[in-house]
Amino acid sequence: MDRRHWLAGAAALALNTVPLGRALADEAFPTRPIMMWVPWAAGGATDLSLRLLAELAAPALGQPVVVGNRGGAGGTMAMPILQTAEPNGYTIAQMPQPVFRAPFIQQVLWDPIRDVTPIIQLSGVTFGVLVAQDSKLRKLEDLFEFARARPGELSIATNGIGTTPHLVLEALFTDRGLRYIHVPYKGTAELTLAVEGGQVMVGVNSSGFGPEVDAGRLRLLATMGAQRTRRWPQVPTLRESGFNIVAMSPYGLAGPRGLPPNVLAVLHDGFKKALFHPRFAENLARYDQEVAYLGPEDYAQACREEYEKERAAAGRLGVPRS
């Protein structure tokens, strides 16, 4: 074999042994559509917000962002997708608060810290306690009086077992020796329809219920933030009602573990531009949310902190894994 052929063969061998991460880092990104998974049913507040975010990010990324839904399991159904996806930036997902809680209350095969690359924190959720407009339950205390008088008859809907609303209910009712019927739904849209139509007596969910409240079809009994909302300043918080509970679930976007730095930077920059677009700010305001931006490093730290908070909370409550 002459020197020229030997060098060509050596070069080919070297190219075939470049580590995957380095090869991905050397590729242009993106060159095809990006898939973003939303772990909630279509039509809810988070789904609609993230669809707008995807639309606004596409011009900056130079490729469409296609949104898919994987509702159920309390907002954790996108985690197995991230766990098994190639770390090439073409598969990303929303990271809602329940993913940090799930490992402490049920058996899961994924880890919300080990198996993801945090990209960007976007916002946080306003939660509220809802009844139908014609309900005889007029204030929060009415729920507790009903549960005391008729144990196990008060039906309350949330967006899933192990979600923030579900844990708040456990603190409000079960910890006080009161019983209720928990009715989990996959998404906000079907939950609000169930409350409005009388299939369940009460709903506890994120503020995708806003249009129904504003239209007078649902009544808001309490919100769960540290302060009253600007949208419904007449509605008291749980804290004002005598319960030392503040629930605001931050959320963001993440990719699989091992995203190359250049890919992470492109995704972050594209979605950051969309996050601060006036149309997205207007959209968040519709659901009584605000921008809560964190970049990759700060968001990763926030994820680790949330994970440890959920570990501590599960330990205090003695929540068994199902």
Side-chain angles (χ1 to χ4, degrees):
M1 178 183 297
D2 63 25
R3 176 180 171 78
R4 183 164 55 86
H5 284 92
W6 183 89
L7 289 173
L13 179 62
L15 287 173
N16 288 331
T17 57
V18 172
L20 175 61
R22 180 178 159 192
L24 290 173
D26 291 341
E27 290 182 0
F29 175 83
T31 58
R32 54 188 170 89
I34 295 166
M35 188 73 197
M36 180 167 72
W37 290 98
V38 176
W40 310 105
T46 301
D47 174 66
L48 295 175
S49 293
L50 291 178
R51 286 178 184 276
L52 176 59
L53 187 78
E55 175 190 331
L56 297 174
L61 293 168
Q63 291 289 336
V65 180
V66 180
V67 177
N69 296 89
R70 283 291 178 93
T76 64
M77 290 294 287
M79 290 302 297
I81 297 175
L82 290 184
Q83 184 187 35
T84 58
E86 290 291 331
N88 54 18
Y90 292 102
T91 302
I92 63 175
Q94 187 214 11
M95 286 271 286
Q97 184 73 13
V99 304
F100 303 110
R101 181 179 304 131
F104 305 114
I105 62 175
Q106 59 186 295
Q107 298 291 338
V108 296
L109 299 178
W110 44 264
D111 185 293
I113 305 302
R114 178 196 66 206
D115 295 330
V116 305
T117 301
I119 298 169
I120 184 172
Q121 180 174 289
L122 301 169
S123 184
V125 175
T126 294
F127 293 104
V129 181
L130 304 152
V131 295
Q133 184 60 41
D134 59 357
S135 173
K136 295 180 179 179
L137 303 169
R138 309 296 300 182
K139 57 185 184 298
L140 194 62
E141 186 57 37
D142 291 345
L143 275 62
F144 305 126
E145 291 179 3
F146 187 98
R148 291 187 191 100
R150 303 168 68 174
E153 294 185 27
L154 182 68
S155 58
I156 307 180
T158 75
N159 54 342
I161 296 171
T163 59
T164 297
H166 182 212
L167 289 194
V168 168
L169 286 177
E170 291 297 295
L172 290 174
F173 286 87
T174 306
D175 288 0
R176 289 172 169 78
L178 300 175
R179 293 168 52 204
Y180 69 98
I181 301 170
H182 180 219
V183 185
Y185 283 85
K186 288 184 178 181
T188 299
E190 59 182 13
L191 184 152
T192 52
L193 286 174
V195 176
E196 183 182 337
Q199 283 80 37
V200 291
M201 298 171 66
V202 184
V204 183
N205 204 0
S206 60
S207 56
F209 52 69
E212 300 297 309
V213 172
D214 291 343
R217 291 187 286 269
L218 294 177
R219 187 155 20 90
L220 190 56
L221 303 185
T223 55
M224 300 183 184
Q227 304 172 17
R228 294 192 182 199
T229 65
R230 289 181 293 180
R231 187 171 183 178
W232 302 292
Q234 76 281 10
V235 178
T237 66
L238 287 181
R239 180 178 282 176
E240 287 179 304
S241 303
F243 305 98
N244 190 26
I245 297 173
V246 174
M248 178 270 191
S249 293
Y251 65 88
L253 300 177
R257 177 184 182 182
L259 281 186
N262 70 311
V263 172
L264 175 59
V266 170
L267 290 169
H268 166 266
D269 293 350
F271 283 104
K272 182 181 180 182
K273 188 171 184 178
L275 175 63
F276 286 97
H277 193 287
R279 283 183 60 197
F280 193 72
E282 292 172 5
N283 176 82
L284 288 180
R286 288 182 56 205
Y287 303 116
D288 203 52
Q289 298 180 33
E290 297 179 353
V291 171
Y293 164 76
L294 291 176
E297 291 185 8
D298 290 337
Y299 185 32
Q301 178 60 30
C303 289
R304 290 190 291 268
E305 291 173 359
E306 290 299 323
Y307 187 65
E308 293 306 318
K309 287 178 184 177
E310 293 294 348
R311 183 198 304 274
R316 287 196 305 271
L317 295 174
V319 178
R321 292 189 181 188
S322 59

